[in-house]
Each structure stands twice: as structure tokens, then as C-alpha cells.
């Protein structure tokens, strides 16, 4: 009797286990990562609604997940120089007194334009000091009534449509830098980086700084680069194409997991993501986003804060 009861109990338990296992197999797997599900439970919502006006007011930048090129970079410090191959020093032909000055530093001049008038000490006649190059006056070493000598340039004229950016490369990095390498130059004016190429790598170095010069010749038609100012450069060491990437500023952390806030209609939803390689601008997404997904790129922490408050409805 007791044996039959034990066998029945074992049978019932086994049947219960099989039923539970079958139920789990038939139940669809959840499509939401645990982090997203927990955040949504905490917020009592599946996202946060933000109007376009509120997005603009908060400075939230929207971007699209897309293929990108990840670059391994070497950060270089440099200084902008006038292109010495497009520069002339204008010197008086005969010593004399400056009777008239027509151009100042910063003035644009054409080839053959008069810069100053000099009265020769030898003949006591006046002659014109003219520019032999179209460009900009970047230096003037003479004033009205001053004695001008043929030993010293009175004006320096430079064509600033191209400039040199001279970078210092420390000895530990010299083997990684070559002529023709791509470099993105930041003039620190708030605009986009300027793409250029290393045109010259000095064969000698500086004993004081233990570095060598790498020079980029850069088109400067919009005058963003000004001689004498510092600039930074990101020299590209390698490139890697990835199928889906987002801006690094889009990443936030919830429960120690990386997430991205995706825009769906008028709502932001949290997506837990898996990360691949990255550079200073982009990070590869190996799981969690699809190409074409719109996400909060800049100021994404504001979306996180709104979602944490449980703002499921935007009253603005």
C-alpha cells in the first residue's frame, strides 16, 4: 500500500515537471532585455514621450544608426605656419626715406600693387615699392618717415589660400607616421575637422623636445587656419568598416549595462546593446540596434533622466 502511494507521488511530481517544461518551451521568449524590462517596470511605462519642441529645447541631437568607419588615431599637437613656398619678402631696391605707406598688416594685395613710396638717398627721387605676389600682408617692418634699408624687408606678403600645419611627433611614434597619412585637423573654432595629408616628415629631430616635425599642407580658402595659432590633429593609423555604429555620446548605463535610447514615433525606448570596437567618435553595435534606428546622440542623459522620472506623457 505504502509502495503504491510512493509510486503515485513520484508519477505526479514527474508529470508536473514535464508540464512545466512543456509550458516554458511553448511560451515565446521575451524580446526585451532584462535591463530594459526592469527600467520599464520601475517607470511603469515602456518609454518616455518627448515632443519635438522639448527635444530641441533640451539640445537632444537625433542621429541614425548606420555603417561607419572606425579609426585608430594618433593625437598630435601642431602650429599653423604660412606656406613658405607662397611667401615673399619685399625689400627696398635702394635705401631711402619712407614717404608714403599704403598697406597695413592684414590688407589684401594684388601682384604689382603699390605697398609704399620710398625717396632714394642716392637720386632723391621717389620710387614705388610693389608686391610681387597676390596675398595678404602678414608683416610690416617700416613706418612713415623711417629710413628704409635694402638690408631689411619692409613687408612680408603671404598667399594664405594654403598653409602649413607643423606637428610634433615624439620619437616613440615616429615609426607609425608616414608621408601620405590622413590627418584630421581641429582649428578649435567649433567647426568640422579639416581633412589633410602628411606631406613631409623631417629626417632630423629636436634634441630639446625629442620629437620630429610632420607637416601637412592644408587648403585654407575659408581662412579657418591662421598662422601662429595652435591646432590639434588626429592622424589615422588604421580604418575598420562596421555595419552598425552610433556616436559614443549616445551610450548610457542602466544596471551596469550599456543602453541606447531609440526614437519610435514620439516616444523614446530603452535598448540594451552589445558593443564592439570604438574610436573617439563612434562605437560599433553588435546587437540591440538595426541600421536606420533613430537614437538620442547628444544629451542622451536627459532622456535617461526623464525615463527615470516615469514621464510617460509629455504635457508640453
Amino acid at each position: 500500500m505504502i509502495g503504491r502511494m510512493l509510486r503515485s507521488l513520484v508519477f505526479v511530481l514527474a508529470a508536473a515537471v514535464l508540464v512545466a517544461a512543456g509550458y516554458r518551451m511553448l511560451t515565446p521568449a521575451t524580446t526585451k532585455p532584462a535591463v530594459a524590462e526592469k527600467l520599464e517596470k520601475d517607470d511603469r511605462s515602456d518609454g518616455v514621450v518627448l515632443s519635438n519642441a522639448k527635444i530641441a529645447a533640451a539640445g537632444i541631437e537625433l542621429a541614425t544608426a548606420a555603417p561607419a568607419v572606425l579609426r585608430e588615431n594618433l593625437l598630435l599637437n601642431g602650429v599653423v605656419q604660412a606656406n613658405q613656398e607662397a611667401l615673399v619678402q619685399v625689400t627696398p631696391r635702394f635705401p631711402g626715406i619712407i614717404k608714403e605707406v599704403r598697406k597695413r598688416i592684414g590688407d589684401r594685395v594684388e601682384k604689382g600693387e603699390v605697398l609704399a613710396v620710398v625717396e632714394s638717398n642716392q637720386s632723391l627721387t621717389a620710387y614705388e615699392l610693389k608686391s610681387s605676389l597676390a596675398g595678404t600682408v602678414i608683416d610690416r617692418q617700416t613706418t612713415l618717415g623711417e629710413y628704409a634699408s635694402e638690408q631689411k624687408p619692409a613687408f612680408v606678403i603671404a598667399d594664405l589660400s594654403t598653409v602649413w600645419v607643423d606637428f610634433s611627433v615624439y620619437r616613440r611614434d615616429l615609426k607609425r607616421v608616414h608621408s601620405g597619412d590622413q590627418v584630421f585637423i581641429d582649428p578649435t573654432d567649433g567647426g568640422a575637422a579639416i581633412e589633410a595629408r602628411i606631406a613631409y616628415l623631417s629626417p632630423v629631430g629636436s634634441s630639446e623636445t625629442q620629437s620630429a616635425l610632420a607637416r601637412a599642407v592644408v587648403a585654407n580658402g575659408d581662412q579657418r587656419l591662421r598662422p601662429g595659432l595652435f591646432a590639434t590633429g588626429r592622424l589615422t593609423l588604421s580604418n575598420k568598416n562596421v555595419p552598425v555604429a552610433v556616436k559614443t555620446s549616445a551610450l548610457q548605463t542602466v544596471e551596469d549595462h550599456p543602453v541606447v535610447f531609440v526614437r519610435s514615433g514620439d516616444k523614446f525606448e530603452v535598448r540594451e546593446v552589445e558593443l564592439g570596437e570604438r574610436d573617439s567618435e563612434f562605437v560599433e553595435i553588435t546587437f540591440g540596434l538595426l541600421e536606420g534606428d533613430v537614437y538620442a546622440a547628444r544629451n542622451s542623459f536627459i532622456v535617461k533622466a526623464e525615463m527615470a522620472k516615469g514621464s510617460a506623457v509629455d504635457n508640453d
Side-chain angles (χ1 to χ4, degrees):
M1 181 69 178
I2 295 175
R4 286 198 300 271
M5 291 178 65
L6 289 174
R7 285 195 295 273
S8 298
L9 181 60
V10 170
F11 177 79
V12 170
L13 290 174
V17 170
L18 290 173
V19 169
Y23 177 78
R24 291 184 62 185
M25 292 177 64
L26 292 174
T27 302
T30 179
T31 58
K32 293 183 180 180
V35 170
E37 187 175 13
K38 181 181 187 306
L39 184 60
E40 290 170 3
K41 284 181 179 179
D42 290 345
D43 294 340
R44 300 181 178 86
S45 71
D46 58 353
V48 58
V49 177
L50 294 178
S51 66
N52 292 332
K54 192 165 186 178
I55 289 174
I60 299 171
E61 175 192 356
L62 298 180
T64 303
V69 178
L70 302 183
R71 297 181 172 90
E72 181 187 0
N73 297 318
L74 176 64
L75 188 63
L76 301 174
N77 294 316
V79 62
V80 183
Q81 308 274 8
N83 185 340
Q84 298 296 309
E85 296 175 353
L87 178 148
V88 295
Q89 297 180 341
V90 182
T91 304
R93 290 173 295 160
F94 310 105
I97 302 299
I98 301 295
K99 291 295 186 180
E100 186 178 347
V101 178
R102 297 188 183 178
K103 296 296 179 182
R104 301 178 178 85
I105 294 177
D107 286 350
R108 286 277 307 164
V109 297
E110 300 298 327
K111 184 177 180 179
E113 192 170 355
V114 177
L115 305 173
V117 176
V118 183
E119 183 182 85
S120 170
N121 282 353
Q122 297 177 356
S123 62
L124 299 181
T125 58
Y127 68 91
E128 295 175 333
L129 199 59
K130 298 181 179 180
S131 174
S132 57
L133 176 75
T136 302
V137 179
I138 63 171
D139 192 19
R140 192 186 80 179
Q141 296 293 327
T142 189
T143 59
L144 186 65
E146 182 182 6
Y147 175 79
S149 169
E150 72 274 26
Q151 304 297 321
K152 184 180 74 172
F155 294 86
V156 178
I157 312 297
D159 179 359
L160 298 179
S161 61
T162 63
V163 294
W164 288 351
V165 181
D166 290 347
F167 296 106
S168 296
V169 182
Y170 291 108
R171 60 185 305 169
R172 65 176 178 271
D173 297 319
L174 285 173
K175 290 184 178 180
R176 309 170 74 188
V177 180
H178 307 87
S179 293
D181 283 351
Q182 183 185 51
V183 61
F184 290 89
I185 299 168
D186 183 6
T188 64
D189 60 358
I194 302 170
E195 182 179 354
R197 298 276 175 180
I198 297 297
Y200 169 76
L201 185 61
S202 174
V204 298
S206 168
S207 59
E208 295 181 356
T209 62
Q210 291 297 293
S211 65
L213 181 147
R215 174 174 294 152
V217 181
V218 187
N220 192 40
D222 52 6
Q223 304 293 299
R224 290 181 62 197
L225 296 169
R226 297 175 181 268
L229 297 183
F230 293 117
T232 57
R234 289 183 290 108
L235 185 128
T236 303
L237 298 176
S238 65
N239 291 325
K240 179 185 177 181
N241 294 302
V242 296
V244 180
V246 299
K247 293 185 177 181
T248 55
S249 57
L251 295 179
Q252 295 294 328
T253 302
V254 176
E255 294 292 314
D256 297 325
H257 290 273
V259 300
V260 172
F261 297 106
V262 176
R263 181 82 163 163
S264 178
D266 59 352
K267 181 186 297 183
F268 281 103
E269 299 174 349
V270 64
R271 295 272 187 90
E272 184 180 347
V273 293
E274 293 181 6
L275 308 180
E277 298 187 40
R278 69 172 68 199
D279 61 15
S280 60
E281 186 175 3
F282 291 101
V283 58
E284 178 186 10
I285 303 297
T286 59
F287 181 80
L289 288 183
L290 297 176
E291 181 181 350
D293 283 343
V294 177
Y295 65 93
R298 188 179 67 241
N299 290 342
S300 58
F301 66 91
I302 297 177
V303 181
K304 179 180 178 181
E306 290 291 326
M307 193 167 287
K309 291 190 298 185
S311 301
V313 178
D314 180 14
N315 296 320
D316 293 344

Short mmCIF file of all heavy atoms in Angstrom, two decimals, residues 2 4 57 86 90 140 183 191 203 208 254 256 272 279 311:
data_model
loop_
_atom_site.label_atom_id
_atom_site.label_comp_id
_atom_site.label_asym_id
_atom_site.label_seq_id
_atom_site.Cartn_x
_atom_site.Cartn_y
_atom_site.Cartn_z
N ILE A 2 1.82 1.30 0.92
CA ILE A 2 2.71 2.48 1.00
C ILE A 2 3.52 2.60 -0.28
O ILE A 2 3.76 3.68 -0.79
CB ILE A 2 3.63 2.38 2.22
CG1 ILE A 2 2.79 2.43 3.51
CG2 ILE A 2 4.67 3.48 2.23
CD1 ILE A 2 3.59 2.23 4.76
N ARG A 4 2.61 1.65 -3.28
CA ARG A 4 1.80 2.22 -4.37
C ARG A 4 1.64 3.73 -4.22
O ARG A 4 1.67 4.49 -5.18
CB ARG A 4 0.43 1.53 -4.39
CG ARG A 4 0.48 0.11 -4.95
CD ARG A 4 -0.90 -0.34 -5.36
NE ARG A 4 -1.83 -0.32 -4.24
CZ ARG A 4 -2.00 -1.37 -3.42
NH1 ARG A 4 -1.31 -2.49 -3.59
NH2 ARG A 4 -2.88 -1.31 -2.42
N ALA A 57 14.54 72.03 -27.25
CA ALA A 57 14.87 72.87 -26.09
C ALA A 57 15.93 72.22 -25.22
O ALA A 57 16.77 72.91 -24.64
CB ALA A 57 13.61 73.14 -25.28
N ALA A 86 54.80 80.03 -50.69
CA ALA A 86 53.87 81.03 -51.25
C ALA A 86 54.00 82.31 -50.43
O ALA A 86 53.00 82.90 -50.02
CB ALA A 86 52.45 80.49 -51.24
N VAL A 90 59.35 91.71 -49.29
CA VAL A 90 59.51 92.86 -50.18
C VAL A 90 60.50 93.81 -49.56
O VAL A 90 60.26 94.38 -48.48
CB VAL A 90 58.16 93.55 -50.43
CG1 VAL A 90 58.34 94.72 -51.41
CG2 VAL A 90 57.14 92.56 -50.97
N ARG A 140 54.93 93.93 -41.41
CA ARG A 140 55.40 95.21 -41.95
C ARG A 140 56.44 95.76 -41.00
O ARG A 140 56.18 95.91 -39.80
CB ARG A 140 54.23 96.18 -42.09
CG ARG A 140 54.58 97.43 -42.90
CD ARG A 140 53.45 98.44 -42.90
NE ARG A 140 53.43 99.23 -41.67
CZ ARG A 140 52.56 100.20 -41.41
NH1 ARG A 140 51.61 100.48 -42.29
NH2 ARG A 140 52.62 100.88 -40.29
N VAL A 183 45.19 62.94 -41.93
CA VAL A 183 45.12 63.62 -40.64
C VAL A 183 43.92 64.56 -40.65
O VAL A 183 43.65 65.24 -41.65
CB VAL A 183 46.43 64.39 -40.34
CG1 VAL A 183 46.70 65.46 -41.37
CG2 VAL A 183 46.40 64.98 -38.93
N GLY A 191 33.96 74.35 -35.66
CA GLY A 191 33.55 73.76 -36.93
C GLY A 191 34.06 72.33 -37.09
O GLY A 191 34.72 71.77 -36.20
N PRO A 203 63.67 64.48 -41.60
CA PRO A 203 64.64 63.41 -41.35
C PRO A 203 65.47 63.65 -40.09
O PRO A 203 66.23 62.77 -39.66
CB PRO A 203 65.52 63.44 -42.60
CG PRO A 203 65.45 64.86 -43.06
CD PRO A 203 64.07 65.35 -42.72
N GLU A 208 65.95 69.02 -27.96
CA GLU A 208 65.28 69.58 -26.78
C GLU A 208 63.95 68.88 -26.50
O GLU A 208 63.63 68.58 -25.35
CB GLU A 208 65.05 71.08 -26.99
CG GLU A 208 66.34 71.89 -27.06
CD GLU A 208 66.08 73.37 -27.24
OE1 GLU A 208 64.89 73.75 -27.38
OE2 GLU A 208 67.04 74.15 -27.26
N VAL A 254 22.56 51.53 -17.54
CA VAL A 254 21.46 51.19 -16.63
C VAL A 254 21.76 49.81 -16.05
O VAL A 254 21.97 48.85 -16.81
CB VAL A 254 20.10 51.18 -17.37
CG1 VAL A 254 19.00 50.71 -16.43
CG2 VAL A 254 19.78 52.57 -17.91
N ASP A 256 24.41 48.74 -14.79
CA ASP A 256 25.74 48.34 -15.25
C ASP A 256 25.74 47.74 -16.65
O ASP A 256 26.68 47.04 -17.04
CB ASP A 256 26.38 47.33 -14.27
CG ASP A 256 26.62 47.94 -12.90
OD1 ASP A 256 26.93 49.14 -12.84
OD2 ASP A 256 26.47 47.22 -11.90
N GLU A 272 18.91 47.78 -24.64
CA GLU A 272 20.19 47.26 -24.16
C GLU A 272 20.99 46.82 -25.37
O GLU A 272 20.47 46.19 -26.29
CB GLU A 272 19.97 46.09 -23.22
CG GLU A 272 21.26 45.56 -22.61
CD GLU A 272 20.99 44.39 -21.67
OE1 GLU A 272 19.81 44.17 -21.32
OE2 GLU A 272 21.97 43.73 -21.31
N ASP A 279 36.10 54.14 -31.57
CA ASP A 279 37.14 55.15 -31.66
C ASP A 279 36.66 56.37 -30.87
O ASP A 279 35.74 56.26 -30.05
CB ASP A 279 37.50 55.49 -33.11
CG ASP A 279 36.33 56.06 -33.92
OD1 ASP A 279 35.32 56.46 -33.31
OD2 ASP A 279 36.43 56.11 -35.15
N SER A 311 8.16 59.71 -16.87
CA SER A 311 7.37 60.67 -17.63
C SER A 311 6.85 60.01 -18.90
O SER A 311 7.41 60.17 -19.98
CB SER A 311 8.23 61.89 -17.99
OG SER A 311 8.70 62.49 -16.82
#
